[in-house]
Amino acid sequence: MKQKIYLSNDYFSDLMIRMAHHSTAIEGNTLTQGETKSILIDNYIPRAMNMRELHEVLNYKAYVKQMIEDLKQDVPIDVEYIKSVHAVLCNNAIEGIAGRFKTIPNLVIGADFTPTPPYLVPSELENWRLNLQYQLEHAENNDEIIESILRQHIQFEHIHPFSDGNGRVGRALIVYSCLRAHIVPIVIPVQDKGRYINYLNTEDITGFVLYAKELQQTELMRIQALANDTERDLYIWLPADAAKVEIN
């Protein structure tokens, strides 16, 4: 037995702040979560700051708004969709390349693999899409869905289709894939950056899945605490015996 829980606007505001802060901070953005909240929710710039860092977090307001609409329309992930996510998340943050695949080969520092060469990126991403679709269609439970999404995340970072911004796009696709599959989203916190990068480096899918399930438990508490049954457009499925937090 499963139960349906609906996702509130307040939850998506909370999700937006945390996606913006943690994903950009993993890449080196120095804004705090409090400053990110001031920018995205209060429309207030709390201090003088680097314009690139400002735009990096501002872009998540546009991204999450579009993500919600795409989820309502059940928009599938394809090559053009991936480019559109990059275009939104890198707008005014990465000069001249937002929404464009790399045109010269790139490397990941210290990696023991070579990213896909530019001329093969479109075909490799199409294979990536088909593999993800197949795995999700044949997944029989929550764990298999998570494993499929995370396995493809590792593969996405190996393809490294853009000259910059690959990590934030890949992590945004994790969240979108989870919500499209109606499971609790996975938001990787910056304080766990080393652990996360190690899973990518070692391709430890078993450890990555166990870690993701820990993150889902924390995320579920936020979803339940911010629940609002009057907003019924988007939902996730939970086991009938899932823990419920007390809301005062």
Side-chain angles (χ1 to χ4, degrees), residues 18-197:
R18 291 180 295 112
M19 287 179 68
H21 168 63
H22 291 294
S23 197
T24 61
I26 286 173
E27 305 298 333
N29 191 300
T30 64
L31 300 185
T32 67
Q33 186 166 317
E35 290 170 337
T36 301
K37 186 263 184 182
S38 292
I39 293 165
L40 294 177
I41 301 298
D42 305 322
N43 298 311
Y44 175 72
I45 300 175
R47 61 174 174 85
M49 61 185 61
N50 179 283
M51 290 302 293
R52 171 171 174 156
E53 292 194 338
L54 173 63
H55 286 295
E56 282 179 348
V57 299
L58 270 174
N59 288 339
Y60 280 82
K61 180 175 283 191
Y63 174 71
V64 172
K65 180 179 179 181
Q66 185 59 52
M67 181 183 75
I68 292 170
E69 293 306 310
D70 291 341
L71 288 167
K72 290 178 180 179
Q73 299 297 321
D74 194 29
V75 176
I77 295 174
D78 58 18
V79 173
E80 290 305 312
Y81 184 82
I82 292 169
K83 290 170 67 176
S84 74
V85 172
H86 188 269
V88 173
L89 291 181
C90 297
N91 183 40
N92 293 318
I94 302 178
E95 187 69 28
I97 65 166
R100 300 178 184 177
F101 291 141
K102 63 188 177 185
T103 57
I104 59 174
N106 53 0
L107 289 174
V108 179
I109 296 174
D112 62 357
F113 66 89
T114 301
T116 301
Y119 74 96
L120 288 177
V121 164
S123 61
E124 282 297 298
L125 282 180
E126 177 62 11
N127 290 335
W128 179 92
R129 176 192 73 81
L130 291 171
N131 286 334
L132 177 60
Q133 178 180 307
Y134 179 86
Q135 291 176 58
L136 291 177
E137 287 176 351
H138 290 82
E140 296 182 355
N141 53 50
N142 185 76
D143 284 10
E144 291 185 3
I145 293 172
I146 297 170
E147 182 175 341
S148 299
I149 291 169
L150 296 184
R151 181 182 292 110
Q152 292 306 104
H153 177 63
I154 293 172
Q155 182 60 30
F156 181 85
E157 299 306 326
H158 281 202
I159 296 171
H160 230 61
F162 303 100
S163 61
D164 197 2
N166 295 283
R168 77 195 72 170
V169 171
R171 289 185 290 276
L173 293 175
I174 290 177
V175 173
Y176 185 75
S177 296
C178 287
L179 290 172
R180 189 164 178 255
H182 301 293
I183 67 169
V184 176
I186 298 162
V187 180
I188 297 167
V190 65
Q191 58 266 30
D192 290 348
K193 176 180 177 179
R195 185 176 180 182
Y196 162 62
I197 296 298

Side-chain angles (χ1 to χ4, degrees), residues 228-243:
N228 182 341
D229 285 341
T230 65
E231 298 166 6
R232 307 181 69 84
D233 289 322
L234 297 170
Y235 63 89
I236 56 174
W237 287 108
L238 298 177
D241 60 352

